[in-house]
Amino acid sequence: MTCREAVRKLYDYIDNELDNATTEKIKRHLELCRLCCDQFEFEKTLKELVHKCCESAKAPAVLKDKISKCLNP
Amino acid sequence: MQENRREQEKKREFEELFVPLLDNLYNIALRMTRNSKDAEDLVQEAYLKAYRFFHRFERGTNARAWILTILTNTFRTKYRKKKQEPDMVDFQAIENFCLADEMVKVIKASDKSEAKGVGEVVKLLKDYVSDDIIKALEAVPEQFRLAVLLSDVEGFSYQEIAEILNVSVGTVKSRIFRGRKILQKQLWDFARERGIIRDGKI
Ligand SMILES: [Zn+2]
């Protein structure tokens, strides 16, 4: 697998969209290629950061109450 | 009496499935609407609709995907016009944008002593605070933002996202791709506006 091919599948890879065979091929490429490995790590980190910043809020208690009141009039 | 018991049973089942998802839905609604008042209204409306249409929920299928579909549709029909959405983006300019590469260029220019690679900038990326990421996300136009959120925050597959947004898998992929590029460009603009990429630090 070339760098070009690997990078073209970067998002499919970090989003877990590839079949096992292709995933293995990319893994092998990443083990040998520092450049791609860093690039993949960077994108994966950004994905994780987006996840993290969108799980910190708690639903306000008043919202919980409103919903439960609607269900139990 | 029988009717009453059936209603109670339905309510219990609904609450068991969906109340634990409340924080998750509120978070994603916050990022969709970009303000807490609308996020609360949106979540409440989604729950009420979900309850009203609970008989249509196929038991054993993904409850989170089901209620998120309702939330997404409600958002798209009702809330997206309320607050000015970011302008559409010139994709040609952004198609090849790569935040990592831009960062590497700056670091290399400021520090010629050693060759630094993308590995270094993963650390830089982690210097962004949550507020930066949120602000950058909010600058991504809605259709791309939704696709990115459903993938990054909810962890849905492209196929699941396609079903939630009612578009093809190809469209999902291109929206995620573009959404991430726009996000990266925003993060880069923040870093430059504030002049925070200095001495190899954000
Ligand atoms: Zn490579």
Side-chain angles (χ1 to χ4, degrees):
Chain A
M1 177 171 281
T2 65
C3 292
R4 234 182 112 91
E5 286 168 329
V7 168
R8 208 182 305 139
K9 293 197 163 62
L10 194 162
Y11 284 151
D12 294 283
Y13 181 82
I14 65 169
D15 292 335
N16 260 323
E17 291 287 332
L18 297 171
D19 56 66
N20 289 341
T22 316
T23 303
E24 279 311 311
K25 268 188 214 156
I26 290 186
K27 268 192 190 147
R28 243 174 289 142
H29 180 84
L30 296 183
E31 277 164 19
L32 299 170
C33 179
R34 173 78 196 279
L35 223 60
C36 284
C37 185
D38 287 348
Q39 186 73 42
F40 274 58
E41 185 62 29
F42 186 89
E43 293 282 348
K44 208 178 109 226
T45 304
L46 184 55
K47 184 179 165 86
E48 286 162 4
L49 285 175
V50 171
H51 186 156
K52 248 198 256 163
C53 81
C54 296
E55 61 173 9
S56 51
K58 289 261 168 286
V62 51
L63 175 61
K64 282 180 199 172
D65 288 349
K66 270 194 220 159
I67 290 172
S68 108
K69 258 185 213 128
C70 290
L71 300 183
N72 304 286
Chain B
M1 201 59 190
Q2 190 74 6
E3 197 56 36
N4 202 3
R5 196 178 305 151
R6 210 174 292 143
E7 190 62 29
Q8 284 301 328
E9 179 57 28
K10 174 186 162 190
K11 215 173 288 168
R12 198 188 54 76
E13 193 191 359
F14 181 86
E15 285 178 338
E16 250 175 45
L17 280 169
F18 296 106
V19 169
L21 301 176
L22 188 57
D23 282 337
N24 176 228
L25 262 71
Y26 178 69
N27 269 285
I28 201 137
L30 260 184
R31 300 286 86 84
M32 282 182 186
T33 62
R34 298 175 292 162
N35 75 87
S36 54
K37 175 76 187 63
D38 282 348
E40 279 183 42
D41 291 348
L42 172 59
V43 170
Q44 186 179 0
E45 199 170 334
Y47 268 85
L48 295 189
K49 272 188 198 159
Y51 190 61
R52 199 179 324 138
F53 295 110
F54 191 36
H55 57 280
R56 291 200 202 156
F57 173 68
E58 285 177 51
R59 303 303 188 267
T61 61
N62 190 333
R64 195 162 51 94
W66 186 72
I67 196 163
L68 266 163
T69 308
I70 295 174
L71 185 91
T72 306
N73 286 334
T74 309
F75 168 70
R76 292 204 293 180
T77 51
K78 198 167 167 186
Y79 290 86
R80 76 165 146 193
K81 293 285 179 304
K82 281 178 74 176
K83 194 171 164 189
Q84 181 76 46
E85 277 289 332
D87 291 334
M88 288 307 279
V89 177
D90 175 9
F91 285 116
Q92 298 234 298
I94 220 162
E95 203 78 15
N96 293 311
F97 183 81
C98 176
L99 180 58
D101 290 348
E102 297 299 325
M103 286 176 162
V104 168
K105 269 186 236 161
V106 170
I107 295 176
K108 277 190 175 156
S110 71
D111 180 5
K112 294 186 178 69
S113 57
E114 17 171 351
K116 298 216 166 140
V118 181
E120 297 293 321
V121 297
V122 172
K123 285 180 221 143
L124 274 187
L125 185 60
K126 288 179 179 164
D127 282 347
Y128 279 111
V129 292
S130 222
D131 282 352
D132 291 330
I133 309 274
I134 289 172
K135 228 173 98 197
L137 259 180
E138 293 187 342
V140 177
E142 172 242 314
Q143 55 174 333
F144 309 106
R145 188 167 75 241
L146 285 187
V148 170
L149 288 172
L150 291 171
S151 172
D152 291 2
V153 182
E154 298 298 329
F156 286 128
S157 69
Y158 294 167
Q159 180 61 45
E160 287 170 316
I161 298 171
E163 282 162 23
I164 291 172
L165 297 177
N166 199 21
V167 295
S168 70
V169 169
T171 302
V172 169
K173 283 178 74 155
S174 109
R175 285 186 187 176
I176 289 177
F177 179 85
R178 291 179 164 186
R180 285 177 180 158
K181 291 289 167 191
I182 300 166
L183 179 73
Q184 293 191 9
K185 182 71 171 52
Q186 284 298 326
L187 287 171
W188 182 237
D189 289 348
F190 293 164
R192 288 183 21 147
E193 270 165 32
R194 298 188 218 144
I196 45 180
I197 295 206
R198 243 182 244 145
D199 310 323
K201 283 197 109 145
I202 286 191

